[in-house]
Each structure stands twice: as C-alpha cells, then as structure tokens.
Amino acid sequence: MIGHLSFADLERHYIVGRDEELGRFRTVLSRGGWPGHASFLHVYGTGGVGKSTYLRLCRSEAERAGACFILLDTPDFVHTERGFAEALLQQLKERFSDLDGLSGPPLEQCESAIRRLSQSGRVVLALDTFEQMQDLETWLRERFLSSLPETTIVLTAGRRPLKGDWLLSPVWRRKLAQFELTHLDQTDCHRYLTRCGSYDEVVNERIWRLTKGHPLTLSLAAAAQSYDERGSFAKEADWFEEAAALWLREVPDPQLRTVVEAASILRHFDQELLSYLLEENVPGDVFDRLTALSFVSKSKRGWQLHDLMRETTSARLRARAPKLYKRLCGRAAGYYADAVLESASRSDSGWEVRELFRYVGPDVLRALSSETPRSSLYWETLTETTLGDAIAYIDCRQNWTEDGQSGMGVDPETGAAFQIEYTAEAIRGNVTRLDARQVFELDPEAIKLLRDQEGQARGLAVVIPFHEGTLAFMEKDPICSPYLRSLKPEEKRKLQTPRHRPSGWFIRVLDCWDVSDPDVRDETIDFIFSYICSGGLVVCSPYPTEIARKTYPGFGFSAVESAAHRNHEGRTEAPTYALDTRGDKLRGFLEAMLRRAGLDWQPSARREPEANGGFERQSAVLHPLTKRELEVAELVLAGLSNGEVARKLFVSEATVKKHLRAVYDKLGVHSRVQLARILIKE
C-alpha cells in the first residue's frame, strides 16, 4: 500500500519513465574504472527535465549497491579551486566519520579522503548544474578529476553536452559517456497522472499535449488539476507562468528576449526568417547568442526552440501582446504560403504545407496531429519482393473480425476533443475490393506501407495517379469510378496526361493500423500534406466515419456533387472529396485558407520590392528565376548595394550574393550592367 511506503520509496513511486537512463548508470557503476569502460557519466537536458531527480535516483542505486555517493550542487560554493575543495571536504566529513586525521590543504584532504573511501568500495562523485562550472572546467579536467583513483565514478548533470577539450582528448573520450535526459512519452505521462489520481482520459490527454511530457510542467499541471475541484484548467496560466519563468532565467537581455519571442512563433527558424518576422535585421551576434541557449538546438531545417519553451513563450506573448502575436503569426503564415506557392512542383513540399496549416488549419487537424512530431516511422514504396507484405496487410483488414478501434485527439489551443471511432465494418470497408497486385502492375509506386523501425507494417496508402494509363482501371474501380462518372467530357480529357506527368492522384486507401497511435496519425496527415498543394488534382472517398467527415474538409477538400456512392459495404453513403490546385487554383486555395483564418495574404506583396513595380516571369528569358531571385535582381537594377538589398529583404548579405550568382548563371551574364540590359528589355 502507498500509505505504508517510506518517503524515499513514495517519491520513487511517482517517478516514471527513467528505467533506461538508470540502467546506464548501473552499467557505469558496475564497470566504472575497468579498462576500456567509461567512468565519467554526464547527463544533460533542458531546465525542469528532471536532472536533479535523476541524480537522487542514482544516489539510491549507488547506496543500494554499497557505494559512497557524494553530491555537490555548484551554486552552493564559491567557484574557485579552494571553494570547491572546501565544499567537497565538508560533505565528506559530514557523511563519513572515519575521515579524522586528515591534514594539509583542503584539496589534498579531499584527494586523501576519496582514496581512503575507494579502498573499501566504489565512490561516486556527483556534480549538479554543471553548466555553471565553466570557470572551473579546465581545472577540474586537468587537475582534480585526473588525480582521482581509477575506480572513482564521476556523475555530472548540466544543460548542455560536454564538448571541446572533453572530446579532443582520447583519454577523456574513453572515460566519458553522456546522454540527453528527454521528455516523458505519452504512456509514461498517463501513468504518472493516474498515480496522481487523475483518471479522466480527456483531461490526461490534454495535459500530455500541453506539457509535451516535460516532467516539471507535468508535475505542476497535475498539482493544479488535483486542487481544482471542478476538473477544469483554471490554474493552467499559473503553471505555464512557472515553467516559462524557469526557462527565461537564461535570457536576461531584452533584445534577445524579443528574438526568443519571435522564434516561439515558429517550429524551425534561421536568421533570415527571424529577420523577416521582426521586419528588421537580426544581427549575427544576437543570433549566435540565441542559438547558444540551452533550450535551442540545431534541426534539419535550421534551429528550433525546445518544445515546451516554444509553447510557454508563445502563450505568454499571446496573452501579453495579442496584436503583436497576431501580426507575427500572420507574417509567418504569409511566409509559408509563399513557400508553398513557390515549391508546388517539388515532391517534398509537404513540409511547407504542414507549417502553413499550423497557422491557418482548423481545430480538428491540430487535435489529430502533434505539434512536434518525432516519429521514427517511414513510408516505403513497394517492390516485387515486398508486395506480399501489402497483400497480407490488405487481406487482414478485409477479413477483420475483431472489435473496432478508437482514439482521441485534443486541440491544444481550444481544448476541443475529437473522438476517432472505426468499427470493424469501417476497417473492412476502407480497403474494400482492392486487388493490390493489379494496382502494383498498374503503377509500382502507387502502393506504400508505413513501417516502424522493426519493419512492421503500421499503415497502408494506395494512391493512384491520374494519367492516360490509369483512367481505364479507375473507371471500373468501385471507389474511383463515381468521381470519373461525375465529370464532364472536357474535364475527363484534362486527366489524360502522359504517364510521366500525372494530372493528379486518387487516394484510394489511407489506412492506419492503430488510430490511437499519435505517431501513425502524424505520418498519415503528413502524407496527405505532401499531395494537397502539389499543383495537381487530389481526390478521395474514404469510408464515411465521423472523423473523416470533419478531417477532409479541414484539409480544404470539397464534396463532389453526384459522386457520392454506397460501394464500401453497400449501405452507408460515402461522399467523394476533391481538391484542385492545378495552375492558378493553388493561389486561390491558399488565399481562401488565409482569409478564413482572418489573414490578408497578397503573394506578390509579401516580399515585394518597391522599385519599378516588380518583374514578372512571363518571358522565356526570366522563367528560370525564382521569385526571390527576381526580387534581388529588381533591387540591384534600382541601384541598391548588396547590403541594402539584404536589409530590404531581411536576409543576410551572403544570401543576396548567393541569389545574385544564381541570377547571373541562369541568365548568362557576368555583371550588373549586363543584367540591367536584360531586365530593362524584358
């Protein structure tokens, strides 16, 4: 029973999700000091992620194993060699009474005491908040730590990984092992909240989404929930404020805070995007200070704030300065709308679409997708060898007799909950009368399996392209044919494009093995994003579940008149949805999306230079230039220097030079004079 546990055991009862991390310490504890094995373990992570708690857990593990554990917190002593030695010596003498008789300077006494303790067992020296010991790192590394007995284990915790000289030395590389302490996953969050007495699934789901599994914030949210008898989130602002205050201790500079607030609007950022958002150039030194903060990390697309820092800072900004917040969000939405328009012909434009939908998408999409997806799943295009996996998947779903599946999504902004319900009949109907081999022979790239790291199939997508080689098949398919019958002859003729240039795609099947898995949902939503703004026609007719009726219109699809049918299972009427972004329709679609979100977007004006009214890419000569290259060329023609162009467009001067070189290469010129002749002529 919990009531009979000691305080230490009770604390351990409420700690979840750190078994793997503790296992790493046990490994070091059992092997530390052996040749070829690490004896220095450094754990790092952002504020409030539980580093100090982890050290306490390690203390329990060490004492259970009979080791001496000494913990020193860096704010508790003066940061000099003598201050460190005196603080450590005091800890040693307080904990171990058999150290009498030590003499000499404090540092020598410490070294003697640790050697004496090491003769009777393992010694663990733990240093918390290690990031505050930068002024002593060299001394610690080269003098103190190197003098300790080989069997001594050093355990440090800080906000950043150890770099520089720690990694340059082959000796320290052998001794050092380090890892990041990350957030709790959804399962551990729900386990913790249940242990805290919160059993409401909807409430727990929302707490998980709001806290992102950040341990301190999760604890604050659980406390607020337990004290709120109405079961609402009346105290939500309080624990967000506490979390934000913890993060912002690192940012005392007002100028840097302004940049952090702008970065909190974005999932990924770079210097150019932040400059555009703030409508002024962000200096390089300010950007360098930003990226050096512990809650900022490098990403594939630039840099990113830590999830919780981004959420809390954004929420504070929205409450404190709602007009500024809306303006920044509007500029970000316009930025990504332009990016979508410019990248429509690319196969990887789905990322820009997802970013745009963060600002203009409906609540149902926010509820079903994660704000910061981290899935290790991947979509695999089939080969003849793996076709059998898809056939087995489809056969299993077509003969599904088990109970249906359900899940839930909660919009982190509004708290609106959306139930996802798929009956067994819906699971079977979603893949009805589908011959995978026939589709594969029609187009080998039409079928994709969603796999996890173990290679298990977690989802299926069957997307048939519209072109001259597929229309005959789709006219006979029970799900595709109602749409083709609804078209006028001239509309159908537009679909008969060459095989290498499809006019669009019919999403015949999009099936999730487990709709309650947020990673699977994220990958499925991203899959749709990769098609909807690709400059083609996208059509689908999913089994008519309630969540499907809400989701596809949220993506921007419209129901097609005269294309509804009952061909999934013969009884329930299923609508057919279409989204047409061919030609100029993509721009109209984007304008409508932003307009519904209350934003006025003018694609030619977002980054439009003021000189000479702007060029158009209508001639064959100018067609190779991107919109940004045209803007740079226009400002150069107006007589602006590279630095002035950079300030005008809120980019770096190096970026201007890069665009200008691209313009020269594409137009076959070598100077501004030659460029001016071409542009004036055009």
Side-chain angles (χ1 to χ4, degrees):
M1 295 293 291
I2 291 179
H4 295 89
L5 295 176
S6 66
F7 183 85
D9 290 337
L10 191 61
E11 182 184 42
R12 185 68 183 89
H13 171 74
Y14 286 106
I15 297 174
V16 298
R18 294 303 186 213
D19 292 337
E20 180 181 348
E21 291 85 348
L22 279 174
R24 299 188 184 191
F25 174 71
R26 294 189 194 104
T27 300
V28 173
L29 186 63
S30 63
R31 298 177 176 176
W34 290 11
H37 291 288
S39 58
F40 182 3
L41 182 63
H42 177 69
V43 58
Y44 62 93
T46 51
V49 79
K51 298 184 294 297
S52 297
T53 300
Y54 178 74
L55 293 185
R56 292 201 301 274
L57 293 174
C58 290
R59 178 198 288 273
S60 298
E61 292 289 334
E63 293 175 346
R64 190 177 295 115
C68 300
F69 191 97
I70 305 108
L71 174 62
L72 203 59
D73 198 359
T74 55
D76 295 341
F77 62 87
V78 178
H79 284 201
T80 62
E81 291 89 337
R82 184 178 182 85
F84 173 85
E86 289 177 345
L88 179 57
L89 184 61
Q90 181 180 354
Q91 286 268 6
L92 289 166
K93 289 185 174 180
E94 287 177 356
R95 295 205 55 206
F96 307 104
S97 57
D98 57 346
L99 295 179
D100 296 334
L102 295 174
S103 61
L107 182 59
E108 292 182 7
Q109 292 188 51
C110 287
E111 293 170 341
S112 298
I114 293 174
R115 280 195 297 270
R116 188 183 302 181
L117 292 170
S118 296
Q119 294 173 359
S120 57
R122 189 80 73 200
V123 174
V124 181
L125 174 59
L127 303 174
D128 201 359
T129 55
F130 197 66
E131 74 276 0
Q132 297 184 22
M133 293 191 67
Q134 289 180 329
D135 46 1
L136 286 177
E137 272 194 36
T138 301
W139 174 80
L140 280 169
R141 182 177 57 251
E142 298 179 2
R143 169 66 179 87
F144 177 70
L145 297 182
S146 60
S147 70
L148 298 177
E150 278 291 318
T151 55
T152 307
I153 294 171
V154 178
L155 175 62
T156 58
R159 293 199 170 191
R160 306 175 187 87
L162 298 182
K163 299 179 181 179
D165 290 335
W166 293 104
L167 303 182
L168 291 176
S169 166
V171 176
W172 282 111
R173 285 202 304 271
R174 180 182 68 82
K175 286 178 171 289
L176 175 63
Q178 55 183 331
F179 65 90
E180 182 179 10
L181 206 61
T182 58
H183 287 198
L184 303 177
D185 62 22
Q186 184 183 22
T187 301
D188 287 329
C189 285
H190 281 264
R191 184 182 297 122
Y192 173 79
L193 291 168
T194 301
R195 291 182 183 182
C196 291
S198 179
Y199 303 103
D200 189 309
E201 182 182 354
V202 175
V203 170
N204 289 353
E205 177 75 11
R206 185 169 184 229
I207 290 177
W208 172 66
R209 283 183 171 263
L210 284 170
T211 64
K212 303 292 186 289
H214 182 257
L216 175 62
T217 314
L218 181 66
S219 176
L220 293 170
Q225 177 66 16
S226 66
Y227 285 117
D228 190 347
E229 297 178 355
R230 296 169 299 173
S232 66
F233 279 82
K235 300 182 184 298
E236 179 181 325
D238 295 339
W239 52 266
F240 260 119
E241 286 293 323
E242 289 189 53
L246 170 73
W247 295 94
L248 291 173
R249 289 174 189 169
E250 286 190 61
V251 196
D253 177 12
Q255 183 185 20
L256 187 55
R257 282 208 177 195
T258 298
V259 180
V260 168
E261 288 181 338
S264 75
I265 303 297
L266 307 158
R267 277 205 307 147
H268 303 269
F269 61 85
D270 54 31
Q271 187 178 357
E272 294 177 10
L273 180 49
L274 285 176
S275 296
Y276 172 76
L277 218 62
L278 291 168
E279 300 178 80
E280 63 181 36
N281 185 52
V282 174
D285 64 320
V286 174
F287 188 79
D288 289 343
R289 283 192 288 136
L290 170 66
T291 56
L293 295 170
S294 72
F295 50 79
V296 178
S297 60
K298 194 78 172 66
S299 71
K300 292 188 298 184
R301 302 183 184 275
W303 284 263
Q304 59 187 15
L305 295 188
H306 189 282
D307 301 343
L308 186 63
M309 179 60 178
R310 179 171 48 78
E311 288 290 325
T312 53
T313 304
S314 176
R316 283 164 59 100
L317 177 62
R318 182 170 51 204
R320 179 178 59 81
K323 291 183 179 179
L324 173 61
Y325 175 83
K326 183 176 181 180
R327 180 166 61 83
L328 292 175
C329 287
R331 288 184 67 79
Y335 181 94
Y336 284 114
D338 265 8
V340 169
L341 199 58
E342 293 172 4
S343 63
S345 60
R346 294 202 332 249
S347 60
D348 62 344
S349 61
W351 182 80
E352 287 93 348
V353 179
R354 183 184 183 107
E355 295 305 294
L356 175 60
F357 268 78
R358 288 185 62 241
Y359 303 100
V360 299
D363 53 0
V364 63
L365 290 184
R366 289 195 299 268
L368 296 183
S369 60
S370 299
E371 179 71 8
T372 52
R374 291 192 182 86
S375 172
S376 58
L377 307 175
Y378 61 95
W379 289 100
E380 177 188 75
T381 300
L382 297 185
T383 64
E384 187 67 43
T385 304
T386 57
L387 176 60
D389 294 345
I391 293 174
Y393 183 103
I394 294 169
D395 182 66
C396 181
R397 300 299 262 182
Q398 286 178 338
N399 296 284
W400 192 269
T401 57
E402 302 175 22
D403 293 337
Q405 296 178 345
S406 64
M408 178 178 295
V410 179
D411 177 14
E413 290 190 14
T414 65
F418 295 87
Q419 192 69 31
I420 311 166
E421 296 282 356
Y422 277 85
T423 63
E425 187 175 55
I427 291 172
R428 293 192 298 269
N430 205 31
V431 292
T432 186
R433 296 151 68 183
L434 177 68
D435 186 332
R437 180 165 292 280
Q438 189 177 8
V439 174
F440 181 79
E441 292 172 353
L442 186 72
D443 189 324
E445 296 186 2
I447 307 180
K448 292 178 172 60
L449 277 175
L450 182 64
R451 295 191 188 271
D452 59 23
Q453 289 183 313
E454 286 72 41
Q456 296 297 314
R458 306 289 299 280
L460 173 78
V462 179
V463 183
I464 304 173
F466 286 111
H467 57 63
E468 59 189 7
T470 58
L471 291 184
F473 169 85
M474 287 195 278
E475 285 176 338
K476 297 177 182 178
D477 183 80
I479 308 302
C480 301
S481 57
Y483 174 72
L484 291 174
R485 286 198 300 267
S486 73
L487 297 179
K488 298 177 181 178
E490 61 270 21
E491 293 174 328
K492 190 179 295 187
R493 279 194 295 272
K494 292 180 180 179
L495 300 180
Q496 295 177 337
T497 55
R499 288 176 176 269
H500 68 277
R501 189 164 49 84
S503 53
W505 301 268
F506 197 109
I507 302 178
R508 174 62 168 81
V509 174
L510 196 54
D511 185 82
C512 298
W513 188 263
D514 181 3
V515 296
S516 67
D517 187 332
D519 287 342
V520 173
R521 294 204 306 257
D522 275 334
E523 290 295 336
T524 304
I525 289 174
D526 279 354
F527 187 86
I528 298 175
F529 280 144
S530 68
Y531 283 95
I532 60 176
C533 290
S534 56
L537 172 68
V538 186
V539 185
C540 62
S541 185
Y543 189 90
T545 60
E546 184 63 26
I547 195 66
R549 294 182 185 275
K550 294 177 180 177
T551 302
Y552 283 95
F555 279 114
F557 286 80
S558 299
V560 180
E561 295 183 13
S562 306
H565 60 88
R566 301 177 187 272
N567 296 339
H568 283 291
E569 28 73 314
R571 293 187 306 277
T572 309
E573 184 174 86
T576 295
Y577 301 101
L579 174 58
D580 193 353
T581 59
R582 291 173 290 183
D584 292 338
K585 293 179 181 179
L586 174 57
R587 173 172 172 162
F589 168 70
L590 295 173
E591 288 176 339
M593 281 182 57
L594 274 76
R595 189 164 53 249
R596 284 195 297 270
L599 301 173
D600 182 21
W601 173 63
Q602 297 295 329
S604 60
R606 183 179 74 82
R607 289 179 280 184
E608 183 76 79
E610 297 174 359
N612 295 333
F615 291 107
E616 297 292 339
R617 247 185 312 176
Q618 296 175 347
S619 72
V621 173
L622 297 183
H623 184 74
L625 301 185
T626 66
K627 179 183 292 187
R628 177 46 65 91
E629 289 165 358
L630 282 169
E631 292 171 348
V632 170
E634 180 181 356
L635 290 173
V636 166
L637 180 62
L640 275 66
S641 67
N642 288 347
E644 291 169 331
V645 173
R647 288 189 291 274
K648 188 78 172 177
L649 297 181
F650 305 112
V651 300
S652 68
E653 191 168 346
T655 299
V656 172
K657 292 178 181 178
K658 180 187 72 174
H659 287 311
L660 197 53
R661 282 197 301 270
V663 171
Y664 286 177
D665 291 342
K666 291 179 179 180
L667 300 185
V669 299
H670 304 285
S671 68
R672 295 186 177 219
V673 174
Q674 293 176 333
L675 176 63
R677 289 173 182 166
I678 291 179
L679 295 181
I680 292 172
K681 179 181 178 181
E682 293 300 321

